[in-house]
Amino acid sequence: MPSATAAQQGDNRWVMDAGRRAAVDSATDTGADGGTGALPSSRADGAAAERAARGLKAVLVGYRQLAFDVAAVAVAALDVWLRVIPEAEPYNYVLSVIAVIAVALRRKFPFLVVLVTVPGFLAGWAQLAAMIALGTLARRRLLALPTVVGAVLVWLSRFFVWPVEEFLAQEWKSHVHNAIYGCIVAGMPIAIALLAHAREQLSARIAELAASRERERVLHAHAVRADERARLAREMHDVVSHQVSLIAMQAGALRVVAADPNAKQVAGTIRALSTRTLDELRQLVSVLRTTSGDDAPQPRIEDLPQLVATSAVPASLTVRGPVGRAPAPVSGAVYRTVQEALTNVRKHAHGAAAAVLVDAEGDRVRVEVRNERPDPCPSQRPEPALPGGGHGLVGLRERAVLLDGEFHAGPTDDGGFLVRVALPLAR
């Protein structure tokens, strides 16, 4: 069998590692709702944080409105108190006090409060109360008919002087002066309200533009990721599949020409493993060529008996609980965990027996692969120790973290090794 050069081996390892990372990304970066790749737990935490932020914002808005209401009533009362005339009639006091009190209700009954404050402005001293009420009405209704009516009433309250005899006794210059200032008194609250409305609309448009740019950025990132996956798929197909195909072909030829039964069996095993590797490579390439890993068939927990039987490791399999209800990403992760653990047993603990346990209990599925201590003096070691890059356990840990699970791997007290993964069943 021709051997690959060191450069080819390095390329193969790079492509396989990159393909494995991209496949894990493709299975987790797209949720059921088509959004970006937040995990269920992170989505739930994000939703809870968003609800808490909205609640806090509502509380702050409530306190701010209360502070504004208190300030508005205080300013209106101060305006009346500073302009009180000792020789005024009792109804001047009553109308002014009613206008000040009505300011506190301007958010709930804006037009009615304007009507209540107008007499206090006309026959009293509640000018700021009427202006504040008119500003609130314009903020709610903009330039609708109630706002126009309220503006006319406030203008009349500033233009007309109570009592009537005093109004009639004024010169025409005073009437013009009062009319001009009436326009200012009635127009200023409306102008401020329209300015606040325009500012709110501008803020909403800016937020909408920012959201649109964020969506565009995410779409661009997805496009770049799709191009990278397509490139990885091409390289994996061109480099890895070619080498594995040569291995399968030469193993088949060796099986035909070999006279030793053991050699025939080894050649058959190599050919079977190469064929299965090609099938999984095709699935991985399909994953890389799609936007979601759910579109390609993935191995499941139901395929574990065949995996254990063909692993070339003396292993036992125990499956407990309703493992069939595990979601596809979790079921695939369980399969890959057992596959990698048995591969490590075959590499680093040749001849050691292994026990595989898959237990679905409650809302989690637990996977344990435990192997015994290898024979320190094996009677037969037909092949040298297989090389390992140390990426297998790292990949298992990454996959468990992506699925919001727990991972543990380490030696046992009796000299063996244990790989344990716990994954949530709720997806």
Side-chain angles (χ1 to χ4, degrees):
M1 182 184 304
S3 60
T5 64
Q8 289 176 327
Q9 293 176 356
D11 291 341
N12 294 351
R13 287 195 297 270
W14 176 83
V15 173
M16 290 300 291
D17 291 340
R20 176 179 56 79
R21 290 193 298 268
V24 174
D25 288 343
S26 66
T28 56
D29 67 352
T30 304
D33 56 352
T36 56
L39 296 173
S41 62
S42 61
R43 285 199 298 268
D45 295 341
E50 184 178 357
R51 288 194 299 270
R54 285 199 301 265
L56 179 60
K57 183 178 180 180
V59 172
L60 294 178
V61 169
Y63 280 118
R64 185 179 64 179
Q65 291 182 352
L66 178 61
F68 282 155
D69 291 340
V70 172
V73 173
V75 170
L78 181 63
D79 178 56
V80 171
W81 179 71
L82 292 176
R83 300 175 60 188
V84 167
I85 301 176
E87 60 271 12
E89 297 294 334
Y91 67 86
N92 299 120
Y93 293 97
V94 173
L95 293 177
S96 298
V97 172
I98 292 176
V100 171
I101 296 176
V103 171
L105 303 176
R106 73 190 193 284
R107 297 186 187 274
K108 193 171 184 181
F109 309 103
F111 184 64
L112 180 60
V113 170
V114 171
L115 297 180
V116 172
T117 56
V118 164
F121 184 14
L122 178 63
W125 310 281
Q127 175 177 325
L128 285 183
M131 294 177 65
I132 293 172
L134 179 60
T136 303
L137 177 61
R139 184 69 178 85
R140 297 292 181 86
R141 305 295 297 273
L142 298 181
L143 294 178
L145 180 60
T147 304
V148 176
V149 173
V152 172
L153 292 177
V154 172
W155 180 85
L156 285 175
S157 300
R158 180 62 179 82
F159 172 74
F160 191 81
V161 178
W162 187 266
V164 180
E165 294 80 7
E166 185 177 346
F167 173 75
L168 296 177
Q170 290 182 342
E171 298 181 356
W172 67 271
K173 293 182 180 180
S174 298
H175 292 312
V176 173
H177 182 271
N178 292 335
I180 294 174
Y181 272 88
C183 292
I184 296 176
V185 169
M188 184 184 299
I190 297 178
I192 295 176
L194 294 180
L195 180 62
H197 177 75
R199 179 180 178 276
E200 181 180 352
Q201 293 285 62
L202 180 61
S203 299
R205 293 294 298 273
I206 292 176
E208 182 180 354
L209 180 61
S212 177
R213 293 182 62 181
E214 178 65 18
R215 289 193 297 268
E216 185 175 337
R217 185 192 66 80
V218 171
L219 291 176
H220 176 70
H222 285 175
V224 172
R225 183 177 297 180
D227 292 341
E228 180 68 13
R229 287 175 179 168
R231 185 180 68 83
L232 287 174
R234 290 192 300 268
E235 293 186 6
M236 291 180 63
H237 182 272
D238 295 341
V239 179
V240 181
S241 63
H242 174 69
Q243 302 292 345
V244 177
S245 298
L246 289 179
I247 294 174
M249 292 175 57
Q250 297 194 21
L254 178 62
R255 183 180 181 184
V256 172
V257 301
D260 187 1
N262 292 331
K264 285 181 175 291
Q265 182 180 0
V266 172
T269 302
I270 294 175
R271 180 175 175 82
L273 293 176
S274 301
T275 303
R276 186 192 305 170
T277 301
L278 284 175
D279 292 336
E280 294 188 358
L281 181 61
R282 294 189 188 98
Q283 295 179 5
L284 184 58
V285 170
S286 299
V287 171
L288 293 175
R289 290 188 180 276
T290 57
T291 58
S292 174
D294 296 334
D295 295 336
Q298 295 293 321
R300 300 181 59 87
I301 297 178
E302 290 79 2
D303 301 324
L304 286 179
Q306 181 182 2
L307 173 65
V308 173
T310 59
S311 63
V313 174
S316 62
L317 173 64
T318 304
V319 179
R320 296 199 296 257
V323 296
R325 64 186 181 94
V330 175
S331 186
V334 171
Y335 181 93
R336 296 303 183 190
T337 299
V338 176
Q339 183 183 47
E340 179 64 28
L342 293 179
T343 300
N344 288 339
V345 173
R346 189 168 61 247
K347 285 182 179 180
H348 308 296
H350 181 76
V356 180
L357 171 63
V358 180
D359 186 10
E361 181 179 1
D363 59 347
R364 301 179 76 82
V365 57
R366 180 169 55 92
V367 186
E368 288 188 2
V369 181
R370 184 190 302 268
N371 64 274
E372 299 175 354
R373 181 178 181 179
D375 187 0
C377 299
S379 58
Q380 182 179 6
R381 176 78 63 134
E383 72 278 347
L386 297 175
H391 302 294
L393 296 181
V394 175
L396 293 182
R397 184 183 300 277
E398 292 175 352
R399 188 188 298 271
V401 171
L402 287 173
L403 294 176
D404 197 25
E406 300 174 358
F407 176 84
H408 170 75
T412 59
D413 296 336
D414 57 358
F417 200 83
L418 172 65
V419 175
R420 179 188 296 116
V421 176
L423 302 173
L425 288 174
R427 297 290 299 165

